[in-house]
Amino acid sequence: MAGEESTPYLDELRHLRSMAKHPSIINLLSSEIFSLEKDQSPPLPPQSSPPRLSQEVMSAAEKAKQTNVTARSCGKKYVASEDEKDPTKYYENRLNYIATLKNPYPHESSVSKSITEYVKEYQGLLKDQQGVHLENVTESLAGMVMKQRSSGPGCFFYDLCGDRARVQIYASASNSDMDKSEFVKIHSNVKRGDIVNVTGFPGKTMSGQISIFARSFVVLAPCLHMMPTVNPKKITEETEEWGPGRPRNPETYSLKDQETRYRQRHLDLRINPDVQRIVVETRSEITFYIRRFLHSRQFREVETPILNTTAGGATARPFMTHHNELDMQLYMRIAPELYLKQLVVGGIERVFEIGKQFRNEGIDLTHNPEFATCEFYQAYADYNHMMELTEEMLSGMVKELTGGYKIMYHSNGLDKDPIEIDFTPPFRRIDMIEELNKIANLAINPEDLFSEEANSDLKVACEKYGIQCPPPETTTRLLDKLVDHFLEEQCVNPTFIINHPEIMSPLAKWHRSRPGLTERFELFASKHELCNGYTELNNPIVQRQRFANQLKDRQSGDDEAMPLDEGFCRALEYGLPPTGGVGIGIDRLCMLLTDSVNIKEVIPFPTMKPQDQPSARPSYKY
Amino acid sequence: MDAVRLWSLSSQPLKHLIRTTTTRLVIRCCSSTTTATNPGGRAPKAGGRNRRLSTSTSTSDRDAVRAIRLKKVEELRSKGLEPYGYGWERTHSANQLQDIYRHLGNGEESKPDKDGVSIAGRIVARRAFGKLAFLTLRDDSGTIQLYCEKERLAGDQFDQLKSLVDIGDIVGANGSIKRTEKGELSVYVNSFAILTKSLLPLPDKYHGLTDVDKRYRQRYVDMIANPEVADVFRKRAKVVSEIRKTVESFGFIEVETPVLQGAAGGAEARPFVTYHNSLGRDLYLRIATELHLKRMLVGGFEKVYEIGRIFRNEGISTRHNPEFTTIEMYEAYSDYESMMNMTEEIVTRCALAVHGKLTLDYQGVEIHLERPWRRETMHNLVKEATGITFNELGNDLQVAKEVTLKNLGADLDYKHKSSIEACSSVGHLLNEVFEIIVEPKLVQPTFVLDYPIEISPLAKPHRRHVGLTERFELFVCGRELANAFSELTDPMDQRGRLEEQVRQHNEKRAAAISEIGGAEDKREENDESYEVTLDDDFLTALEYGMPPASGMGLGIDRLVMLLTNSASIRDVIAFPVLKIQQ
């Protein structure tokens, strides 16, 4: 047999099998032999095939699976081997095959346990035992076939996957409730990717592998396409499971192609073992933690509109849409802030919303047009309190999800070593203007930042340090660039940059003791902004002025300056209690905790460019 | 005080700017209300259609009040007090105090702890006498009285209280606890601070809130004036949280699927369209989360759900808002029977969380949510209500229509007759009769089972009855609350059905366009004028194999309406979409 490297133990087993008489012992030995063989050789073709086929397949295997072994040589009834390279042909063969079935998509399925539960239970029950069968127990499992092999016409093995667990199916004609020819027909046509339902008894092979010994075996949903190949090492190697906070490398995945991974996420999820943990579960753990954290502090979750008549609460270009019946132009929200504060005015003292925001901006490694945030507001609290709350939330979250405060992150790319990011509280605090003046040797006076001189001074400063600021060169934008260059660069471990100038913060309250500044903070980690919070500006007169200043920036060409929201200003006139508020970027958090440098890694279905060609898959004839 | 200086400093040079810009900005802002006030003393805009006389006349009062209160702001500053404070340390909420001191006898004062108690909230009522003042303070939890005596307060605080505190202000107060002779539990105030000076008067209960439109546009005013309105949103938060708790206890995991999509599928509805600048393409706002959640099943998840916003570009009514919230959930290896149990579980747990009992009042009708709920097929319900046995009528549409009209003709108005005439299949006809005759009668919770295949493009064919699907809808109070099926997993069947859907839609669309014939204003678009495209990626995903599964969608807004006894969807959505004001 191809690639066979016998070991003494394997030989012995083979010898035992040749001597054995009782079918169940033969089965048991077969299963053991094949679980050993699978580590040593590529999947073997069914021995029942005509010799012609076996030879062909074997020679194909020797040629590193390059030749196109097709259905031609394979007879009409059975679909060609897994080595087939032509996806269109493969698909057609599959369609032809399921056309011969009465109901390829049956209604009934029965599951007595998830695969995880099954493995756990019988691993415990059959601890330290080998070659045991619990024939009087009946269990039903369902999942996806990810690997198959056969040891003769009456004996098939499968890896059944689901629920992030894996178990071996051992299907033999002698255990099956089907007659032999039916059995062979069904099993010869099971393909990688098929969803199957198996009922049988639990047991362990001689090598100690937990298995289910099938009495009945039903394909619930056939996979019509060729599943991308899985690097066999990925399966057999007992690699430690990935968990939040640990480094990972998508370059090593079986399915690497980014286009396929993001556009056909279901394939990515099936084939790459980490992806379920990353793209869905870690995100869900993060939002779960945030919800629990805020609920336990009496915050209430509310929903504010996504469709608005103005887009306020942040500075960004919004999406526009149109309501037909009302004949009304609507914007998609860029932040829920203004509505959440109105609810605080209305008497709900602690509110939060976890939801999507939308910004009509370019797509890159850290930006997707829709992204998730959590904003929370607490009446009678100020930014100092909110900073502490943020610190507690994030450090607590990292601790709970990863077991410690330190996470590993490939912030310099996958080709460099990951760096450590330490969430141990308290986080460092940098006073923005003070620090900027010190490091860059500037003399910014926050009180006269609205002046023309201040603007030209900042231009000079940017020029001096070679910092580019694409027009319009408003004071806000220039400052932003300087902060980016000098301060954010320092923020690898989580760091608060605090006390922003008024001109940069139209919704934050002026600082109680430092003129020209606001009571605001931004939290950076790995040089990216994670959170933004402040003592909320609740003076309606001042709020209107701030909006007016923004208008000035709009007029000088900054179309991302904030528009006035009269409805919001009026709400303030009814009285917003002193309030602290924070916004957290959930996608950014997910990226940090899953060691993802690309935001698409953490969004199940990221927005993609339109495809030029319909797709890489075969064209169908309907 | 620096802050004060800053405030006056920055306000001066900009005043003219505000004046010149406000007019324009107010017009830009569609969500603003009829009672726009403005700092420049601009005359109120001419009344729109929705304006009520009472509101109109009060606008000038309002401006006067505002001017007076702005003076008080200045006065506070001149005394070195900040009228917009930075925070307040509370020791108790009003409700906690009411609870802790419920046994305190009339006229008794509690032995004050070291520092007494500290509370904060909005003043909603006040009565002042010579040396005594009573204020009612409301916070998130409830109300409590502030008992203020001149002698107790330091310096001129009592005079300040009388002259500077208005109803609507946010105030913080410290003191001990006393129950008045009349039995009112009060904070016996030692000191207080104005935390936020309000500039506008609260509407009195009888006038301000009769203006329905304003209630929605300025929800916060409604919430301040009617605490039970704020309570609806507190209950809503509880319902959503209870739903999450329930489904997570069954092992479901939440997935966030995209709102912006290349093709809007999973339901039949007109989508919102938007344009992404840098991609240079149109995107649709999702009309359902179904097709993406099913992709997750293909990807190997077995129990997924999403609570999220759905958008439909359709008219607004007491039951429809262009954006609304649903939960959709999918469970592999189960069928619609098990989803019925899940639905019962979710709704009853929410009812218990909000009411503590399963019998509730909805708009004067007693609703019984005790399980199990009635389960009946659509055919039987129609038969029961009309006497028509649809499964005996076969597939002859013409005969079926005749029988229907003969049986029901007398009870139908013209509109219903013509919609029956327009039905394109027996399945559509059955559903039409169901909607007209049966739906309004389904007051107590009822699962309606086994819908015709023609109107259920994503449901699996029934395992026993040809022409039907394994689908149910839950009705309560004559309203659909949930919709669920054994999911169609056969990609060929699914493709055929979706293509048929597109074909039918395009037919209707073509007919509509030729009817209009370009004669009418182009903006008078017909219901069917939008485009429906096939979600090819979804079909491909199915071809990779989706496990048999059941799925359910439940309208959270409608559930909250039911559980909070709210007549309109706008009562349970904090900021509903409203028509543009003139």
Side-chain angles (χ1 to χ4, degrees), chain B residues 51-85:
Chain B
R51 184 186 295 272
R52 282 170 174 256
L53 200 61
S54 62
T55 333
S56 219
T57 49
S58 69
T59 307
S60 53
D61 303 346
R62 191 178 284 272
D63 281 347
V65 169
R66 192 172 180 279
I68 294 167
R69 294 197 180 180
L70 276 173
K71 280 221 179 71
K72 292 182 181 178
V73 167
E74 301 283 358
E75 203 178 329
L76 281 164
R77 284 184 200 284
S78 71
K79 288 178 193 288
L81 300 170
E82 174 54 58
Y84 297 97

Coordinates of all heavy atoms in Angstrom, one line a residue, chain B residues 51-85:
Chain B
R51 N -49.7 72.1 14.8 CA -49.6 73.0 16.0 C -50.9 73.2 16.6 O -52.0 73.4 16.0 CB -49.0 74.3 15.5 CG -48.8 75.2 16.7 CD -48.4 76.6 16.2 NE -47.1 76.5 15.5 CZ -45.9 76.6 16.1 NH1 -45.9 76.8 17.4 NH2 -44.8 76.5 15.4
R52 N -50.9 73.1 17.9 CA -52.1 73.4 18.7 C -52.0 74.8 19.2 O -51.0 75.3 19.5 CB -52.2 72.4 19.9 CG -52.6 71.0 19.4 CD -52.5 70.1 20.5 NE -53.1 68.8 20.0 CZ -54.2 68.4 20.4 NH1 -55.0 69.1 21.3 NH2 -54.7 67.3 20.0
L53 N -53.2 75.3 19.4 CA -53.3 76.7 19.8 C -52.6 76.9 21.1 O -51.8 77.8 21.3 CB -54.8 77.1 19.9 CG -55.0 78.6 19.9 CD1 -54.5 79.2 18.6 CD2 -56.5 78.9 20.1
S54 N -52.8 75.9 22.0 CA -52.3 76.1 23.4 C -50.8 76.1 23.3 O -50.2 76.9 24.0 CB -52.8 74.9 24.3 OG -52.2 73.7 23.7
T55 N -50.2 75.3 22.5 CA -48.7 75.3 22.4 C -48.2 76.6 21.9 O -47.2 77.2 22.3 CB -48.2 74.2 21.5 OG1 -49.2 73.2 21.5 CG2 -46.9 73.7 22.0
S56 N -48.9 77.0 20.9 CA -48.6 78.3 20.2 C -48.5 79.4 21.1 O -47.6 80.2 21.2 CB -49.6 78.5 19.1 OG -49.0 79.0 18.0
T57 N -49.6 79.6 21.9 CA -49.6 80.7 22.8 C -48.6 80.6 23.9 O -48.1 81.6 24.3 CB -51.0 80.9 23.4 OG1 -51.4 79.6 23.9 CG2 -52.0 81.3 22.4
S58 N -48.3 79.4 24.2 CA -47.4 79.2 25.4 C -46.0 79.5 24.9 O -45.1 79.6 25.8 CB -47.5 77.8 26.0 OG -47.0 76.9 25.0
T59 N -45.7 79.6 23.6 CA -44.4 79.8 23.2 C -43.8 81.1 23.7 O -42.6 81.2 24.2 CB -44.3 79.8 21.7 OG1 -44.9 78.6 21.2 CG2 -42.9 79.9 21.2
S60 N -44.6 82.2 23.7 CA -44.1 83.4 24.2 C -43.9 83.4 25.7 O -42.9 83.9 26.2 CB -45.1 84.6 23.8 OG -46.4 84.2 24.3
D61 N -44.8 82.7 26.4 CA -44.6 82.5 27.9 C -43.3 81.8 28.1 O -42.5 82.1 28.9 CB -45.7 81.5 28.5 CG -47.1 82.1 28.2 OD1 -47.1 83.3 27.8 OD2 -48.0 81.3 28.4
R62 N -43.1 80.8 27.2 CA -41.9 80.0 27.3 C -40.6 80.9 27.2 O -39.7 80.7 27.9 CB -42.0 79.0 26.2 CG -41.0 77.9 26.2 CD -41.4 77.1 25.0 NE -42.6 76.3 25.2 CZ -42.5 75.1 25.8 NH1 -41.4 74.6 26.1 NH2 -43.6 74.4 26.0
D63 N -40.7 81.7 26.2 CA -39.5 82.6 26.0 C -39.3 83.5 27.2 O -38.1 83.8 27.6 CB -39.7 83.5 24.7 CG -39.4 82.7 23.5 OD1 -38.8 81.6 23.6 OD2 -39.7 83.1 22.4
A64 N -40.4 83.9 27.8 CA -40.3 84.8 29.0 C -39.7 84.0 30.1 O -38.7 84.5 30.8 CB -41.7 85.3 29.4
V65 N -40.2 82.8 30.3 CA -39.6 81.9 31.4 C -38.1 81.7 31.1 O -37.3 81.8 32.1 CB -40.4 80.6 31.4 CG1 -39.6 79.6 32.3 CG2 -41.8 80.7 31.8
R66 N -37.8 81.5 29.9 CA -36.4 81.2 29.6 C -35.5 82.4 29.9 O -34.4 82.2 30.5 CB -36.3 80.8 28.1 CG -35.0 80.2 27.7 CD -35.1 79.8 26.2 NE -33.9 79.2 25.8 CZ -32.8 79.9 25.4 NH1 -32.9 81.2 25.4 NH2 -31.7 79.3 25.1
A67 N -36.0 83.5 29.6 CA -35.2 84.8 29.8 C -35.0 84.9 31.4 O -33.9 85.2 31.8 CB -35.9 86.0 29.3
I68 N -36.1 84.7 32.1 CA -36.0 84.8 33.6 C -35.0 83.8 34.1 O -34.1 84.1 34.9 CB -37.4 84.6 34.2 CG1 -38.3 85.7 33.8 CG2 -37.2 84.4 35.8 CD1 -39.8 85.4 34.2
R69 N -35.1 82.6 33.6 CA -34.2 81.6 34.1 C -32.7 81.8 33.7 O -31.8 81.5 34.5 CB -34.6 80.2 33.7 CG -36.0 79.8 34.3 CD -36.2 78.4 34.2 NE -37.5 78.1 34.8 CZ -38.0 76.8 34.9 NH1 -37.3 75.8 34.4 NH2 -39.2 76.6 35.4
L70 N -32.5 82.4 32.5 CA -31.2 82.7 32.1 C -30.6 83.8 33.1 O -29.4 83.7 33.4 CB -31.1 83.3 30.7 CG -31.1 82.2 29.6 CD1 -31.3 82.8 28.2 CD2 -29.8 81.4 29.7
K71 N -31.4 84.7 33.5 CA -31.0 85.7 34.5 C -30.6 85.0 35.8 O -29.6 85.3 36.4 CB -32.1 86.6 34.9 CG -32.3 87.7 33.8 CD -32.6 89.1 34.5 CE -32.8 90.2 33.5 NZ -34.1 90.0 32.7
K72 N -31.3 83.9 36.2 CA -31.0 83.2 37.4 C -29.6 82.5 37.2 O -28.9 82.3 38.2 CB -32.1 82.2 37.7 CG -33.4 82.8 38.2 CD -34.4 81.8 38.6 CE -35.7 82.4 39.0 NZ -36.8 81.5 39.3
V73 N -29.4 82.0 36.0 CA -28.1 81.4 35.7 C -27.0 82.4 36.0 O -26.0 82.1 36.7 CB -28.0 80.9 34.3 CG1 -26.6 80.6 33.9 CG2 -28.9 79.7 34.0
E74 N -27.2 83.6 35.5 CA -26.2 84.7 35.7 C -26.0 85.0 37.2 O -24.9 85.1 37.7 CB -26.6 86.0 35.1 CG -26.8 85.9 33.6 CD -25.5 85.9 32.8 OE1 -24.4 86.0 33.5 OE2 -25.5 85.8 31.6
E75 N -27.2 85.0 37.9 CA -27.1 85.3 39.3 C -26.4 84.3 40.1 O -25.6 84.6 41.0 CB -28.6 85.4 39.8 CG -28.7 86.3 41.1 CD -30.2 86.3 41.5 OE1 -31.1 86.3 40.7 OE2 -30.4 86.4 42.8
L76 N -26.6 83.0 39.8 CA -25.9 81.9 40.4 C -24.4 82.1 40.2 O -23.6 82.0 41.1 CB -26.3 80.6 39.9 CG -27.6 80.0 40.4 CD1 -28.1 78.9 39.6 CD2 -27.4 79.5 41.9
R77 N -24.0 82.4 39.0 CA -22.6 82.6 38.7 C -22.0 83.7 39.5 O -20.9 83.7 40.0 CB -22.4 82.9 37.2 CG -22.5 81.6 36.3 CD -22.2 82.0 34.9 NE -22.8 81.0 34.0 CZ -22.2 79.8 33.8 NH1 -21.2 79.4 34.5 NH2 -22.8 78.9 33.0
S78 N -22.8 84.8 39.6 CA -22.3 86.0 40.3 C -22.1 85.7 41.8 O -21.3 86.3 42.4 CB -23.2 87.2 40.1 OG -24.4 86.9 40.9
K79 N -22.8 84.7 42.2 CA -22.6 84.3 43.6 C -21.5 83.2 43.7 O -21.2 82.7 44.8 CB -23.9 83.6 44.2 CG -25.0 84.6 44.4 CD -26.2 83.8 44.9 CE -27.5 84.6 44.9 NZ -27.5 85.7 46.0
G80 N -20.8 83.0 42.6 CA -19.7 82.0 42.6 C -20.2 80.5 42.6 O -19.5 79.6 42.9
L81 N -21.5 80.4 42.2 CA -22.1 79.0 42.1 C -22.1 78.6 40.7 O -22.5 79.4 39.8 CB -23.4 79.0 42.7 CG -23.5 79.3 44.2 CD1 -25.0 79.5 44.7 CD2 -22.8 78.3 45.1
E82 N -21.8 77.3 40.4 CA -21.9 76.9 39.0 C -23.3 76.3 38.8 O -23.6 75.3 39.4 CB -20.8 75.8 38.8 CG -20.8 75.1 37.5 CD -20.8 76.1 36.3 OE1 -19.9 76.9 36.2 OE2 -21.8 76.0 35.5
P83 N -24.0 76.9 37.8 CA -25.4 76.3 37.6 C -25.4 75.0 36.8 O -26.4 74.4 36.6 CB -26.0 77.4 36.8 CG -24.9 78.2 36.2 CD -23.7 78.1 37.1
Y84 N -24.2 74.6 36.3 CA -24.1 73.3 35.6 C -23.0 72.5 36.3 O -21.8 72.6 35.9 CB -23.8 73.5 34.1 CG -25.0 74.2 33.4 CD1 -24.9 75.6 33.2 CD2 -26.1 73.5 33.1 CE1 -26.0 76.2 32.6 CE2 -27.2 74.2 32.5 CZ -27.1 75.5 32.3 OH -28.2 76.2 31.7
G85 N -23.3 71.8 37.3 CA -22.4 71.2 38.2 C -21.6 70.0 37.5 O -21.9 69.7 36.4

